Amino acid sequence: MLPKQDFLGPWQAGMAADLAIDSFEYLRDMAARDRAGARRYIAGAARRYTEVRSKVGNRAHDVFERIMNGEDVDYVHSDIVNHVEHFRQFLDAVNPELVRAEDVAWSYEHEYAGSFDAILRIWVIVLPDGKLKITPDRSGTPIVVMVDYKTSKATYPDVALQLAAYRYADVVIDPDGNEEPMPAIDSAAVLHITDTEWSFKGVRADRAVHDYFLNLRRTFTWVREDSKDVIGKALASSKGRMVTGTERRGK
C-alpha cells in the first residue's frame, strides 16, 4: 500500500537498460529470430534479479533460524557463505538469547498476520547520553527485542512498519497451531547482513508507527473491498437516450 513508483519505475527501467547495453550483440541476434521473445527477456530483467535475491534471502533466513535453534549446520550454499559468517559474528558480538523464531504474529483486532524472524533477549546498559550499549557478557539489563533480518543492499524505513505490526499483534501462533499472547516487547531492531558486512540497528517501532501501519491496513481494505461498490449504476447516460423514428427506420 506504500507508493513505490518513484523508486521502482526508474530502477526497473535501469535494469532493462543495463541488460540491453551489456548484451547488445546477443539481444540483436535474439531480436532477429524472435522479436517478442527478446522484448520479454529485456522487460524481465528486474524480475529475474529479484527472484535471485529472494533465493539468497530465503537460504540465509533458513540457516540463521537453524543456527539460532542450536543446530549444527554442516553445509552452507556458496551464495550465502559470507552471510552465515557475518551472522555468527553478530552472535559473538551481541550474545542474544532466543525467545521465539519464525512464528506467526496474528492480530484479531485488526485482521493481519505475518511471520517474524526472531524475538531475542539482549543485555544493555544506558549511557549518559541516553544511548544503549550492548553488553555481550550479559552484565547489563535484559530487554526483549523484535528483530527482522534483512539481506538486501540497504535497509529502508518501512521495516519499522513491519516490526510495529509484529510487536503489537495479539497472539503468537507456533507451527502446531498453538497460540499464546504476544510477549511484552521492549524494543525493535533490524539485523542487516550482506555479502560484505553486517550491522545491528535499533528501529523505532512504537505505537505511533503502528498507527501508520494501521492506516495502510485500512487502505488495503479500501482497495480490495470497499472501493468496489462506491460508484453506483448510472442514473442517466447517453445509452438511455431516446431513439427517434427516423433512427428506427434507418433513414
Side-chain angles (χ1 to χ4, degrees), residues 77-182:
H77 193 281
S78 59
D79 286 348
I80 60 167
V81 170
N82 290 344
H83 294 77
V84 173
E85 173 58 26
H86 292 152
F87 186 73
R88 294 187 190 279
Q89 291 176 11
F90 157 74
L91 295 180
D92 290 340
V94 177
N95 192 21
E97 176 186 313
L98 178 64
V99 178
R100 304 193 74 119
E102 296 293 343
D103 287 331
V104 172
W106 168 250
S107 171
Y108 283 105
E109 181 179 2
H110 302 293
E111 296 185 319
Y112 67 79
S115 178
F116 57 81
D117 290 331
I119 299 176
L120 304 178
R121 182 174 289 106
I122 65 174
W123 282 258
V124 300
I125 57 174
V126 181
L127 299 176
D129 61 3
K131 295 181 180 179
L132 297 181
K133 179 182 179 181
I134 294 173
T135 55
D137 62 358
R138 299 185 176 181
S139 60
T141 300
I143 62 172
V144 178
V145 184
M146 181 68 75
V147 179
D148 194 65
Y149 306 146
K150 295 296 184 189
T151 58
S152 51
K153 288 184 177 181
T155 52
Y156 302 97
D158 56 4
V159 70
L161 299 168
Q162 183 181 358
L163 287 165
Y166 296 148
R167 177 179 183 177
Y168 295 110
D170 298 314
V171 298
V172 177
I173 306 174
D174 67 21
D176 296 322
N178 304 308
E179 61 178 64
E180 300 177 12
M182 175 63 69

